[in-house]
Amino acid sequence: MSIRTSTEYIEDVSPGSGALPPRARYASSDAESLSLNGSWRFRLSGTADAEDDSFAQEGYDADGWAQVTVPGHWVLQGHGSPAYTNHLYPFPVDPPRVPTENPTGDHLRVFDLPEDWPDGGGAVLRLDGVESCARIWLNGTSLGEFKGSRLPHEFAVGHLLRPAGNVLAVRVHQWSAGSYLEDQDQWWLPGIFRDVTLLHRPAGSVLDFFVHASYDHVSGTGTLRVDSDVDGRVTVPELGVDTAAGEPVTVAVEPWSAERPRLYDGVLATEGERVPLRIGFRTVELSDGLIKVNGTAVLFRGVNRHEWHPEKGRALDTDTMREDVLLMKRHNINAVRTSHYPPHPAFLDLCDELGLWVIDECDLETHGFTEQRWRDNPVDDDRWTPALLDRAARMVERDKNHPSIVIWSLGNEAGTGRGLTAMAEWIRHRDSSRLLHYEGDPDCRDTDVYSRMYADHAEVERIGRGLDGGPHRRRRLPFLLCEYGHAMGNGPGGLADYQRIFETYDRLQGGFVWEWIDHGIRDERFGYAYGGDFGEELHDGNFVCDGLLFPDRRPSPGLVEYKKVIEPVVIEGDGAGGTVRVTNRYDFADLSELAFAWSYQVNGETAGEGTLPVPPLAPGESAEVKLPGRPAATGPGEAHWTVRAVLAADTPWAPKDHVVAWGQFAVSARQVPSVAPTGGPVRGDGVITLGPASFDARTGALRTVGGVGVTGLRLDVWRAVTDNDNGAAWQTDTRYGPLWRTHGLHRMRHRLDAVEAGDEALTVRTRVAPAAREIGLSAVYRWTSDGSRLRLAVSVTPEGDWTVPLPRLGIRFALAEADRVQWFGGGPGEAYPDSRTASMIGRWRSTVDDLQTPYVRPQENGARADVRWARIGGLHIEGDPEFYFTARRWTTEQLDAAVHLCDLAPGAASGGGSPAGVWVNLDHGQHGLGSQSCGPGPLPQYHLRAEPAQFSFVFSATG
């Protein structure tokens, strides 16, 4: 008879039983280890008690079971489905109880020890991450159970091992009491998703150790002390260090910083083991009300990073983690907040090696308790405090030897309470060398940093000026915007405006954009799936896709913009004065590792280029640098200087000539297009001709220009609303997407008032207005020609009481076919009024398809800003003033209706049903983006107000 396992531990608020005390994690040593990653047998049950323990016994026949890969999540391997919620618990809130319907995965691995596995000593089984609760057996013996999904747990197993046929059984429950502490904004993904390793423990092996490596910026010396639970010696050959563990030694060193991540290789040697050390000397302190490292206040140019892979979920491999760090470094990001749990330890190794400041955040969030105003919140319930302290200890002990970590974070969106205070007190006692962060502590009782999420620009500036009020302690602390610039869909807008404020006030020490990557799941139906695509009864849609990277890790326009906004070298000038001003905004590094290059463009074409001598400015220094004379034999036209700061040599994170920063300056003004009328419109059989163009005689609609067919040209004010236009449901400020729909701007009607053929011009008078509203726009189209070119002058006058800005203002039309596009203006990527810092003036080429930005939920995208002229489908188009240019193979209405990219297909059609290959928008203005999908909307200066406007375009055939 089999014995059924009790499942009481699932709803026990304790962290578990049987696990060894937490200790420092190190990647390798000379002791043997055996990875147990790979293919495991797997059985899924619908409830926690559906099966007994017999599968854990030797001789159990699991040949009929499925197989899953560990590390991995079973719901991403064909067993059940993932589910996404932002903060709502997907089960009844009745702590610590969980539903009877509790998907439970039994995992089984049979393994042999290697032939060279040492005799004697002990062994430890380490599981680095299991969601959310697990019970472990080895060779039929129960080792214990645990909760704390993103934290390591070790078990002593040496006495149970045998040379061959070892049976490791792991029962994993999706829901447990621990789930109440893990309500982060992410997919719920059960499974063994981090490494499983067997570690040999020789007699006299290393247990726990703590590397203390401080730096005195006045004397230039570092003090090293390595505390070890067992006697040993510490050697650092490069520094000539050879001392007993626990003994301090002071030597001259180069400090570690995110800009220059200097590491020294050392060894901790005990009787039975040698552990490599990677030592970075640095001192973190709260001084003069600022976060200082090595005596210098730092400015965090950061991101929040959830762990994500579109096929593997949170089961990341080292190559993917390295790709993340390299992308961050190449986009001028210098800091990462590990939202909202400690990452895979290999990620922190990479931050040490390549250089990133890290806020290491505990695996704690109870956000769903906001629905009941934090009643029964575990962090204010003494019964849960042991679990909270266990999570704090497992984070700190695992990660304490990483120089990249400068701040510990207690968790995220867990309210306030005694448990958090207990965590803070424990961490301060264990490690006084770092600061403490927790955004949800408005009085800063338990923290060293005043932190906020999504505060708008005005509030951040008030905080910078010290006008924010609040408790006395809080007013004396530095400020971090731990989440801002919500990168959901097209956006975020307003990053440059935030950065200007950060750089103005010392108290403001930067922020962390939310977030790094879209959490789309690769899916054969949709391309990338998001919340609701797996039949979840409760979900938060595409709110899970709010990153600076697309799910496949391609940089979004938002990341390109952020790189430009936070570039550490500022290059300024007016172009006409013959000099540029270069400013070093690094905190520690001079400019000796950069080279500077200039180029001179006329009408977007490079007429000359060369190198620019810039002194190796120290941090904070500036210099006026003389530009060379203008290149000889340059013709007339609009001219620009462009100066780039590039890497002078290969670095570990980017190759030589990688662009770190750039500046561009106009030398001469643009000459606007001019068309002198040479003839008037001529009526024919149902047609009016004017120069190279033909029009419908009844409606005045443009039909052709130089033989190129044009369909549906008219005033356009609608755009496929962005996630930021729609805004978050909880926003109390104006949400423009819903407001636009309320006013009917998505269904404007066009009334023809007159078609007037005069001596020089064809004038078409219209009114554009939504049904059920009094507001409207009078739009007058005036066409003239000089015989070969056609000019359209548009005059727009608002009518009625417009209390809402416009989404866009311009004209749109369809071309029968088009593929290649050229333009002179901003590029190479998209740009909008409050997200255009990275747009560089030049001559650019693309295909229509490549103009599109593949946001996981389709929305307005692809506009190129400051366009002087564009060529598409046989037409050459010039604008006065410069315009936004967009071209796509579907209408705005089709784009607006799509919920996945697979919903978009090239095709139909104008209002008259005519086939259309490409729809083109030439916009006089666009409304700003903002970041209201979670943060503030666009600043007032980026609103597109309904007011009188005049703009013009000149059309000609390209031959």
Side-chain angles (χ1 to χ4, degrees):
M1 178 187 294
S2 63
I3 300 175
R4 187 169 297 277
T5 302
S6 168
T7 59
E8 292 178 356
Y9 63 90
I10 296 172
E11 296 181 338
D12 189 339
V13 298
S14 75
S17 64
L20 295 169
R23 63 182 182 129
R25 168 71 147 75
Y26 47 93
S28 64
S29 78
D30 62 350
E32 293 295 323
S33 66
L34 175 65
S35 172
L36 297 178
N37 295 345
S39 180
W40 290 49
R41 291 291 180 177
F42 176 78
R43 176 181 64 189
L44 180 63
S45 303
T47 64
D49 60 355
E51 302 287 349
D52 61 28
D53 298 353
S54 59
F55 83 104
Q57 306 301 312
E58 299 171 70
Y60 183 87
D61 183 5
D63 286 347
W65 288 19
Q67 291 185 314
V68 294
T69 298
V70 171
H73 306 277
W74 71 68
V75 294
L76 297 182
Q77 300 184 59
H79 305 280
S81 298
Y84 166 62
T85 59
N86 168 27
H87 76 278
L88 297 175
Y89 289 107
F91 48 80
V93 180
D94 182 22
R97 305 298 301 277
V98 295
T100 300
E101 297 173 278
N102 189 355
T104 295
D106 289 334
H107 298 70
L108 198 61
R109 172 72 187 265
V110 179
F111 66 94
D112 300 336
L113 295 179
E115 292 183 1
D116 58 353
W117 191 264
D119 294 329
V124 166
L125 175 69
R126 182 174 66 211
L127 298 98
D128 280 313
V130 182
E131 183 176 328
S132 75
C133 173
R135 187 169 186 185
I136 319 294
W137 295 264
L138 182 62
N139 293 329
T141 298
S142 176
L143 303 179
E145 71 283 335
F146 64 86
K147 308 173 192 76
S149 297
R150 293 106 200 171
L151 297 161
H153 293 81
E154 293 184 330
F155 298 87
V157 297
H159 60 296
L160 299 174
L161 287 174
R162 59 190 59 165
N166 293 282
V167 178
L168 176 58
V170 183
R171 173 163 283 172
V172 181
H173 308 283
Q174 176 160 17
W175 309 124
S176 70
S179 301
Y180 285 98
L181 304 180
E182 297 172 3
D183 190 27
Q184 293 99 340
D185 173 11
Q186 60 183 344
W187 294 96
W188 297 93
L189 298 174
I192 305 172
F193 68 96
R194 286 185 184 161
D195 305 290
V196 181
T197 312
L198 183 67
L199 305 167
H200 181 243
R201 298 285 76 210
S205 60
V206 172
L207 296 178
D208 192 19
F209 65 97
F210 197 162
V211 177
H212 304 272
S214 61
Y215 179 72
D216 185 331
H217 66 278
V218 176
S219 66
T221 58
T223 298
L224 174 66
R225 188 185 82 244
V226 180
D227 295 335
S228 174
D229 282 3
V230 296
D231 291 340
R233 293 199 69 80
V234 176
T235 55
V236 186
E238 189 177 355
L239 297 176
V241 170
D242 185 347
T243 187
E247 293 295 324
V249 58
T250 300
V251 291
V253 297
E254 298 175 42
W256 188 97
S257 72
E259 294 167 9
R260 289 186 171 164
R262 181 66 160 93
L263 292 173
Y264 292 89
D265 290 323
V267 173
L268 169 62
T270 65
E271 178 188 353
E273 187 175 18
R274 292 171 57 85
V275 174
L277 306 176
R278 297 279 276 167
I279 303 166
F281 291 88
R282 56 105 187 94
T283 295
V284 184
E285 61 182 338
L286 184 62
S287 177
D288 303 320
L290 299 173
I291 303 166
K292 292 185 178 181
V293 181
N294 302 333
T296 297
V298 296
L299 184 64
F300 294 105
R301 302 171 172 92
V303 291
N304 287 272
R305 176 186 176 267
H306 267 301
E307 295 184 303
W308 188 251
H309 186 281
E311 295 168 348
K312 302 174 184 177
R314 287 188 285 279
L316 266 62
D317 57 86
T318 304
D319 288 344
T320 299
M321 290 182 261
R322 179 175 288 273
E323 184 180 358
D324 276 350
V325 176
L326 293 178
L327 280 167
M328 290 178 188
K329 295 287 290 186
R330 291 169 183 171
H331 287 86
N332 293 329
I333 290 164
N334 72 358
V336 60
R337 175 178 175 230
T338 69
S339 51
H340 297 294
Y341 42 83
H344 191 291
F347 179 78
L348 298 174
D349 292 336
L350 292 165
C351 294
D352 294 342
E353 172 194 339
L354 296 170
L356 287 172
W357 307 116
V358 175
I359 298 180
D360 196 5
E361 192 148 89
C362 195
D363 188 11
L364 173 62
E365 181 166 338
T366 63
H367 198 172
F369 284 90
T370 57
E371 296 300 305
Q372 52 202 62
R373 299 186 179 181
W374 298 109
R375 187 175 63 256
D376 298 328
N377 184 11
V379 305
D380 201 28
D381 184 336
D382 292 339
R383 296 176 302 162
W384 294 80
T385 299
L388 304 183
L389 290 173
D390 180 74
R391 289 171 183 248
R394 290 189 181 279
M395 172 182 71
V396 171
E397 301 295 7
R398 190 196 77 166
D399 295 343
K400 58 182 177 277
N401 295 325
H402 289 283
S404 57
I405 298 172
V406 292
I407 298 175
W408 300 116
S409 179
L410 301 179
N412 183 69
E413 292 177 317
T416 58
R418 293 162 288 176
L420 287 164
T421 299
M423 293 170 69
E425 290 174 349
W426 186 93
I427 293 174
R428 284 198 172 98
H429 176 76
R430 179 59 174 145
D431 177 24
S432 61
S433 69
R434 295 176 173 95
L435 305 183
L436 275 184
H437 167 272
Y438 177 62
E439 183 271 342
D441 180 11
D443 293 337
C444 297
R445 180 181 61 180
D446 299 322
T447 66
D448 300 310
V449 179
Y450 177 31
S451 177
R452 285 290 312 280
M453 296 179 182
Y454 306 109
D456 63 27
H457 299 78
E459 181 179 358
V460 173
E461 182 153 18
R462 286 195 300 273
I463 293 169
R465 297 173 62 191
L467 302 178
D468 52 304
H472 179 73
R473 169 174 166 75
R474 191 179 83 184
R475 298 198 307 271
R476 295 169 61 88
L477 293 178
F479 177 79
L480 288 179
L481 203 52
C482 71
E483 292 180 21
Y484 83 111
H486 197 252
M488 184 177 176
N490 190 346
L495 291 177
D497 305 277
Y498 274 117
Q499 194 66 21
R500 280 191 289 270
I501 301 170
F502 293 157
E503 292 172 353
T504 299
Y505 302 98
D506 291 342
R507 185 190 183 193
L508 308 180
Q509 293 198 250
F512 296 77
V513 166
W514 185 270
E515 65 155 309
W516 178 236
I517 188 169
D518 286 343
H519 298 197
I521 294 177
R522 199 181 305 277
D523 184 276
E524 62 182 14
R525 299 165 299 165
F526 306 122
Y528 291 108
Y530 49 76
D533 288 337
F534 298 98
E536 306 102 299
E537 64 178 7
L538 190 68
H539 66 85
D540 285 285
N542 68 311
F543 200 71
V544 76
C545 294
D546 47 11
L548 293 169
L549 294 181
F550 295 116
D552 61 2
R553 280 183 161 72
R554 281 183 295 164
S556 74
L559 181 56
V560 176
E561 173 77 0
Y562 193 40
K563 174 187 177 179
K564 175 63 179 167
V565 165
I566 61 175
E567 59 189 12
V569 180
V570 179
I571 305 168
E572 301 170 301
D574 62 9
T579 64
V580 295
R581 184 174 181 83
V582 178
T583 301
N584 179 0
R585 284 195 174 153
Y586 283 111
D587 294 322
F588 297 93
D590 63 23
L591 301 188
S592 59
E593 296 181 1
L594 299 180
F596 290 78
W598 63 267
S599 60
Y600 188 82
Q601 297 88 28
V602 179
N603 294 330
E605 298 281 11
T606 299
E609 53 190 0
T611 60
L612 192 68
V614 175
L617 301 170
E621 288 187 343
S622 298
E624 296 285 338
V625 180
K626 186 173 178 56
L627 290 166
R630 298 182 191 178
T634 55
E638 183 181 2
H640 291 85
W641 289 104
T642 304
V643 176
R644 294 175 173 87
V646 303
L647 291 178
D650 291 346
T651 71
W653 52 271
K656 181 179 181 291
D657 295 328
H658 166 79
V659 177
V660 173
W662 58 270
Q664 189 174 59
F665 327 105
V667 178
S668 57
R670 174 196 178 209
Q671 224 173 359
V672 298
S674 175
V675 173
T678 58
V682 178
R683 288 188 176 272
D685 186 10
V687 175
I688 296 175
T689 58
L690 177 63
S694 65
F695 298 81
D696 184 290
R698 183 180 63 85
T699 64
L702 179 66
R703 288 182 173 179
T704 63
V705 178
V708 177
V710 178
T711 306
L713 188 148
R714 65 186 190 186
L715 191 76
D716 194 17
V717 300
W718 181 244
R719 72 184 187 194
V721 290
T722 69
D723 292 313
N724 288 310
D725 290 338
N726 279 331
W730 59 84
Q731 292 277 1
T732 57
D733 294 336
T734 301
R735 297 164 56 207
Y736 290 102
L739 186 62
W740 290 335
R741 290 190 193 278
T742 297
H743 282 74
L745 302 190
H746 61 305
R747 48 177 174 76
M748 300 291 275
R749 296 293 178 258
H750 296 254
R751 186 184 74 204
L752 177 63
D753 287 339
V755 177
E756 302 167 355
D759 293 339
E760 291 186 338
L762 174 65
T763 302
V764 180
R765 303 184 186 277
T766 69
R767 188 174 190 269
V768 183
R773 295 279 172 175
E774 290 183 324
I775 58 174
L777 299 169
S778 168
V780 178
Y781 309 93
R782 187 173 188 273
W783 300 92
T784 57
S785 175
D786 62 3
S788 61
R789 297 180 298 162
L790 179 71
R791 181 176 185 267
L792 166 63
V794 182
S795 177
V796 180
T797 304
E799 298 177 347
D801 185 15
W802 280 84
T803 60
V804 59
L806 297 170
R808 72 179 340 135
L809 179 65
I811 63 168
R812 80 168 183 181
F813 56 87
L815 299 174
E817 59 182 53
D819 183 27
R820 309 299 302 182
V821 181
Q822 296 182 50
W823 74 97
F824 174 31
E830 72 181 24
Y832 289 83
D834 54 352
S835 182
R836 61 190 297 168
T837 311
S839 182
M840 179 185 290
I841 303 300
R843 286 187 65 164
W844 310 103
R845 291 172 173 79
S846 177
T847 64
V848 170
D849 292 338
D850 286 344
L851 289 176
Q852 313 312 308
T853 304
Y855 295 112
V856 175
R857 186 193 73 79
Q859 55 199 271
E860 165 61 34
N861 74 89
R864 271 54 179 181
D866 302 311
V867 175
R868 281 78 163 145
W869 58 256
R871 292 174 185 161
I872 181 171
L875 287 183
H876 179 92
I877 307 161
E878 298 177 85
D880 179 20
E882 295 82 22
F883 57 97
Y884 289 92
F885 170 78
T886 311
R888 54 177 67 103
R889 299 189 186 279
W890 35 78
T891 65
T892 297
E893 291 74 18
Q894 290 169 327
L895 183 62
D896 195 35
V899 293
H900 292 94
L901 288 171
C902 62
D903 297 330
L904 295 170
S910 70
S914 302
V918 172
W919 286 88
V920 178
N921 277 87
L922 311 177
D923 289 318
H924 178 62
Q926 281 263 1
H927 189 67
L929 300 174
S931 62
Q932 203 176 10
S933 51
C934 195
L939 288 166
Q941 60 264 38
Y942 305 120
H943 288 197
L944 180 59
R945 293 176 173 80
E947 53 192 19
Q950 292 81 38
F951 49 94
S952 66
F953 302 100
V954 176
F955 300 85
S956 58
T958 59

